[in-house]
Amino acid sequence: NSTADASVLNNTKSVKTGELGTRGLDRISSRKRKIMLKSSGVEHLDPKEAEELKIIRENRGRVGCDCKGPCDPALCACAGGGIQCHQESPGSPCQCREGECGNPAGRYMFDPTKVQMHFIQTIMDTQGAFSIA
């Protein structure tokens, strides 16, 4: 079993990357979604829901602030929303720069090493790597 544990820890790239991110999620058609919902016992599908979901999808595409250089809390979309500015990669999704962000909620910078370490720690915890038997 330790061989299997080691392979999980050493080969984290084996997680299927799907169209919608790292969890292997792929977009499904409206027709397939309706079939799945009905087969799961949903009796009534509200037609307004489709429009609400479309608005949610469109809004997900508009994220982050477009501050250039110093972030002015009075003009920053993130600060106005009471959330941290966020940087996944340089200029995305927020345009503000480290050290120049004036957002009172702060600024989060994605750290892939920190994410990888969290993943490894979670695997070790769930598989009892730190258990004393």
Side-chain angles (χ1 to χ4, degrees):
N1 191 16
S2 64
T3 305
D5 294 344
S7 69
V8 168
L9 294 174
N10 293 330
N11 193 9
T12 59
K13 301 281 185 205
S14 66
V15 176
K16 179 186 173 218
T17 300
E19 175 185 353
L20 304 175
T22 60
R23 298 287 182 223
L25 299 174
D26 293 313
R27 208 171 292 279
I28 60 171
S29 70
S30 177
R31 183 174 185 276
K32 187 172 181 180
R33 180 180 156 273
K34 288 175 186 175
I35 291 169
M36 289 171 65
L37 288 168
K38 290 202 181 232
S39 69
S40 296
V42 176
E43 294 177 19
H44 175 69
L45 297 174
D46 186 350
K48 288 185 264 178
E49 184 180 293
E51 185 60 32
E52 291 170 359
L53 292 173
K54 180 181 175 195
I55 291 168
I56 290 170
R57 281 191 298 275
E58 288 170 356
N59 286 335
R60 283 183 180 156
R62 289 182 233 124
V63 297
C65 64
D66 56 1
C67 301
K68 304 285 187 230
C71 213
D72 180 352
L75 303 173
C76 176
C78 295
I83 61 170
Q84 291 181 324
C85 288
H86 187 95
Q87 181 180 341
E88 290 283 329
S89 59
S92 176
C94 291
Q95 300 290 316
C96 60
R97 293 188 204 129
E98 186 175 12
E100 294 183 345
C101 182
N103 185 342
R107 184 173 187 274
Y108 169 79
M109 186 179 230
F110 176 73
D111 181 352
T113 303
K114 193 174 187 179
V115 172
Q116 185 70 17
M117 290 306 296
H118 173 74
F119 174 78
I120 291 168
Q121 181 70 45
T122 301
I123 293 294
M124 293 174 85
D125 288 348
T126 59
Q127 296 186 5
F130 292 121
S131 298
I132 298 174

